[in-house]
Amino acid sequence: MSYSLAFSQAIAISLYITYKIEEQIYDFVPTHEIADFLGIAKPSVVKVVQSLTNAGLIETREGAKGGVRLTRNSQAINLLDIFNAIEQAKPLFRLNIHPTEPKIEALAARQRMVASLQRAEAAMKQELQAVTLADLYSG
């Protein structure tokens, strides 16, 4: 009942890219520097970068001055964008509960539980959508 560590890593990676680009330190931030600074294993950084690239949030460039950068400014990327890139529509709550006795009361209780958990997940996604990388960067 939890999302992967890759989600928080993706936020940290995106923030680091935001910092390095907005401070005009790099055009493209080297992935090895991201891994070193954040203390994330390079294969994990590469996997997260691949997911963010597939979602169109970052772009990569090969070569001596290569690395990664955001495809949009930091005000145009919210945490829900990053969440969707990493979690790819996985539900927060797994709802694999099926009463063996399909009594009306048990089915109604299950229906209320499912509705409650779905509202909780919707509220979480609404909060993620309200926060951009610029919000986190600027404090």
Side-chain angles (χ1 to χ4, degrees):
M1 182 170 98
S2 67
Y3 291 119
S4 67
L5 176 61
F7 174 47
S8 58
Q9 290 174 333
I11 295 169
I13 289 166
S14 299
L15 275 172
Y16 189 71
I17 294 167
T18 298
Y19 167 72
K20 291 295 187 174
I21 300 295
E22 291 196 9
E23 296 296 319
Q24 300 178 348
I25 297 169
Y26 289 110
D27 241 359
F28 285 82
V29 183
T31 54
H32 68 83
E33 183 176 317
I34 295 168
D36 291 346
F37 181 82
L38 296 175
I40 302 172
K42 189 166 183 194
S44 295
V45 170
V46 169
K47 185 176 177 184
V48 168
V49 163
Q50 189 173 42
S51 293
L52 295 171
T53 301
N54 291 341
L57 299 177
I58 63 171
E59 63 182 327
T60 61
R61 181 167 74 183
E62 302 269 335
K65 294 191 180 214
V68 298
R69 71 176 176 190
L70 302 176
T71 58
R72 299 177 262 170
N73 70 42
S74 60
Q75 289 118 354
I77 298 175
N78 61 49
L79 297 185
L80 185 60
D81 295 327
I82 297 169
F83 172 83
N84 288 332
I86 301 301
E87 298 301 336
Q88 302 176 0
K90 292 178 197 162
L92 174 59
F93 302 102
R94 294 187 183 172
L95 304 170
N96 194 14
I97 300 169
H98 304 284
T100 56
E101 288 187 37
K103 291 184 179 181
I104 299 296
E105 299 84 15
L107 294 175
R110 182 188 185 283
Q111 206 168 23
R112 287 189 298 273
M113 176 192 72
V114 168
S116 177
L117 295 177
Q118 288 172 336
R119 285 191 306 273
E121 185 167 1
M124 178 201 68
K125 288 181 178 179
Q126 185 177 0
E127 175 63 23
L128 293 176
Q129 189 171 25
V131 179
T132 67
L133 287 175
D135 295 331
L136 297 177
Y137 174 68
S138 63

